[in-house]
Amino acid sequence: MTQDELKALVGQAALHYVVPGEIVGVGTGSTVNKFIEALASMKDQIRGAVSSSEASTHRLKALGIPVFDCNDVAELSVYIDGADEIDGHGHMVKGGGAALTREKIVAAQSRQFVCIADESKLVKTLGAFPLPVEVIPMATARVMRQFAAMGGVAQIRQKDGQPLVTDNGQHIVDVTGLQITDPLAFETQVSQWPGVVTVGVFAHQKAHVCLLGTASGVQTLAF
Ligand code: 5RP
């Protein structure tokens, strides 16, 4: 199976976690796009969605799925999103699609995080994928120096030759050279640096379940 087919497989499998009559939390990325396509088949059974990005909002609305403001919804039963890396404890690196801040907000508001990913995303230790960090532009150089002091190399993410601007009007730095052996402590530490909006380690908001697309089908990992 191709990676695209594996993504479609887990996107379809995630429908099983959507609670009829409720609002579902929807993440961002190419795997989630497959989930959104699948969700259209049960759009009459749900009230709608809370979305983690302008891109997903656009897709949901185009399929006739109502999108609610996060502030108007107290708690979601489930949040479904992809990951750039996931370890054997459900800790993840996210933000390859630059939506990490809203993703963490919606995840925090959800009782269950269901991660959908193809098997290439499963790792022993987080850090091989460049770690996305959303930063207030004024603090970018300072935050990059702090990562350098940890042995990391940070680069400002570019789009069309300019620093990429997130849905929240901020920039992203991508950090290579890190081995994140204690994701919970790492997330706690970096989140406190002035100017950091969101670090792409999801340990406090880790996955409860991962639907992993493999050559032999969907494997369910529970954490
Ligand atoms: C977006 C994300 C995505 O979940 C992550 O980048 C995985 O994306 P894809 O499903 O396209 O591989 O965190 O900010």
Side-chain angles (χ1 to χ4, degrees):
M1 259 189 270
T2 64
Q3 197 180 28
D4 203 55
E5 287 167 337
L6 293 178
K7 288 178 183 190
L9 199 66
V10 292
Q12 185 71 34
L15 290 184
H16 178 70
Y17 290 83
V18 175
V19 183
E22 293 202 8
I23 299 169
V24 58
V26 176
T28 301
S30 57
T31 316
V32 165
N33 290 346
K34 302 290 188 190
F35 167 66
I36 293 173
E37 282 168 28
L39 190 62
S41 69
M42 59 182 292
K43 71 176 177 192
D44 296 331
Q45 296 171 52
I46 57 170
R47 282 179 60 205
V50 168
S51 162
S52 68
S53 64
E54 298 299 332
S56 289
T57 296
H58 185 75
R59 281 174 183 269
L60 288 159
K61 286 186 174 169
L63 291 168
I65 299 171
V67 177
F68 290 82
D69 187 307
C70 206
N71 289 302
D72 295 334
V73 179
E75 192 181 52
L76 299 165
S77 51
V78 67
Y79 175 59
I80 295 175
D81 198 358
D84 299 302
E85 290 183 332
I86 182 162
D87 72 12
H89 302 281
H91 303 135
M92 295 167 286
V93 163
K94 292 183 45 54
L100 64 164
T101 296
R102 296 187 187 194
E103 291 172 344
K104 208 174 262 193
I105 293 168
V106 186
Q109 207 153 322
S110 306
R111 284 198 298 278
Q112 190 180 36
F113 189 138
V114 176
C115 175
I116 50 177
D118 65 82
E119 59 189 342
S120 70
K121 308 292 182 68
L122 186 63
V123 297
K124 270 210 156 56
T125 307
L126 303 179
F129 186 91
L131 174 70
V133 184
E134 185 163 357
V135 179
I136 290 174
M138 179 188 172
T140 307
R142 182 171 196 284
V143 168
M144 288 169 81
R145 285 195 296 273
Q146 283 185 277
F147 278 117
M150 271 185 170
V153 177
Q155 281 196 321
I156 302 172
R157 195 181 299 183
Q158 304 286 314
K159 188 179 179 195
D160 303 328
Q162 298 291 323
L164 176 143
V165 179
T166 67
D167 286 350
N168 313 306
Q170 313 301 342
H171 290 170
I172 300 273
V173 298
D174 293 302
V175 190
T176 53
L178 300 172
Q179 278 234 326
I180 305 167
T181 51
D182 186 345
L184 209 54
F186 183 93
E187 183 183 10
T188 302
Q189 180 188 0
V190 175
S191 298
Q192 289 171 13
W193 293 354
V196 167
V197 178
T198 303
V199 57
V201 170
F202 282 52
H204 290 282
Q205 271 77 43
K206 71 173 196 162
H208 299 94
V209 172
C210 177
L211 302 178
L212 198 68
T214 74
S216 52
V218 178
Q219 254 183 44
T220 303
L221 312 178
F223 307 106

